[in-house]
Amino acid sequence: KNEVEQSPQNLTAQEGEFITINCSYSVGISALHWLQQHPGGGIVSLFMLSSGKKKHGRLIATINIQEKHSSLHITASHPRDSAVYICALGEYGNKLVFGAGTILRVKS
Amino acid sequence: GAGVSQSPRYKVAKRGQDVALRCDPISGHVSLFWYQQALGQGPEFLTYFQNEAQLDKSGLPSDRFFAERPEGSVSTLKIQRTQQEDSAVYLCASSLLGGLEEKLFFGSGTQLSVL
């Protein structure tokens, strides 16, 4: 059932550090989503990728379709970045298959 | 509306009770999804609507789970004879057309606790 694997499961960083979260998958996809979930809160869509690289503020997402791998990078991390980051595979009609998530804690 | 709205935010049910969870998607959004998120895990797909048509219900865990979207806007997820294993956060998401690279908008979820 593990079509999508995320690493690490837990990550603690100091404020200002560069952070990388990885996502590997085993099936063909049309798009890959990176999502952010705060405790007790809803889920926010950060990126959708089908190729290459996207950047939004301090967040960068890359995908390598041939290697079936994607990464989410956070530059100059801040405590407010603390959240669960989820990689999700996009199937038909935008049905998503979610990874288990990476719990990120950024300490000041 | 401004975003996807779900109600109630929290629901406590006694085992065996029926519950109904509501999702109000963003106005005009064609596609609507229900997901179930158990504690400490990623969400899992339950069902998908395009307008009023339920195109995929493969993720519904049992015939106690039923979803509808009769007028292509508000959707209700009903769970009959709730069991403890139904305890989870139920998330609703919508997108404008349901295209493969469309942004999804999520509600805050309904946290269901079955005692």
Side-chain angles (χ1 to χ4, degrees):
Chain A
K1 193 192 169 177
N2 292 335
E3 295 179 350
V4 54
E5 298 276 358
Q6 283 187 240
S7 63
Q9 286 185 307
N10 290 279
L11 180 57
T12 299
Q14 283 296 131
E15 183 173 358
E17 284 185 3
F18 180 84
I19 289 164
T20 296
I21 299 170
N22 295 299
C23 175
S24 296
Y25 53 94
S26 57
V27 296
I29 62 169
S30 298
L32 183 143
H33 296 246
W34 280 103
L35 307 157
Q36 181 193 57
Q37 186 173 32
H38 282 281
I43 293 175
V44 174
S45 175
L46 298 174
F47 294 104
M48 288 169 298
L49 295 164
S50 57
S51 64
K53 175 180 172 179
K54 288 188 176 180
K55 184 176 190 293
H56 186 258
R58 295 181 295 106
L59 301 178
I60 303 166
T62 63
I63 189 168
N64 185 318
I65 296 292
Q66 287 73 30
E67 295 185 5
K68 293 186 167 59
H69 181 269
S70 176
S71 293
L72 176 69
H73 305 286
I74 305 175
T75 62
S77 59
H78 190 276
R80 65 175 175 267
D81 297 327
S82 299
V84 178
Y85 291 84
I86 304 172
C87 166
L89 308 181
E91 300 184 4
Y92 68 88
N94 227 349
K95 169 184 173 181
L96 297 181
V97 176
F98 289 78
T102 293
I103 302 171
L104 172 65
R105 181 180 168 217
V106 181
K107 297 192 289 187
S108 56
Chain B
V4 178
S5 177
Q6 290 188 246
S7 62
R9 185 75 177 87
Y10 302 94
K11 176 69 180 176
V12 178
K14 290 184 180 177
R15 192 172 56 184
Q17 189 178 348
D18 296 350
V19 298
L21 313 180
R22 177 187 168 107
C23 173
D24 231 312
I26 292 173
S27 179
H29 275 197
V30 166
S31 293
L32 185 147
F33 301 82
W34 283 100
Y35 290 90
Q36 180 191 58
Q37 186 173 22
L39 187 65
Q41 298 183 22
E44 293 198 0
F45 171 79
L46 292 176
T47 187
Y48 161 54
F49 290 86
Q50 197 166 73
N51 294 308
E52 69 278 3
Q54 190 175 18
L55 299 187
D56 188 339
K57 54 181 181 179
S58 62
L60 296 176
S62 78
D63 59 8
R64 296 186 295 104
F65 286 70
F66 172 77
E68 60 182 4
R69 194 186 184 198
E71 296 177 2
S73 55
V74 171
S75 177
T76 303
L77 176 67
K78 297 179 180 177
I79 309 173
Q80 297 176 322
R81 303 182 303 281
T82 51
Q83 304 293 316
Q84 284 188 321
E85 63 262 27
D86 300 334
S87 297
V89 175
Y90 291 85
L91 293 163
C92 176
S94 71
S95 66
L96 183 59
L97 295 173
L100 291 167
E101 290 198 43
E102 262 191 19
K103 186 172 182 178
L104 269 175
F105 295 83
F106 286 83
S108 295
T110 293
Q111 185 170 327
L112 173 65
S113 299
V114 182
L115 307 178

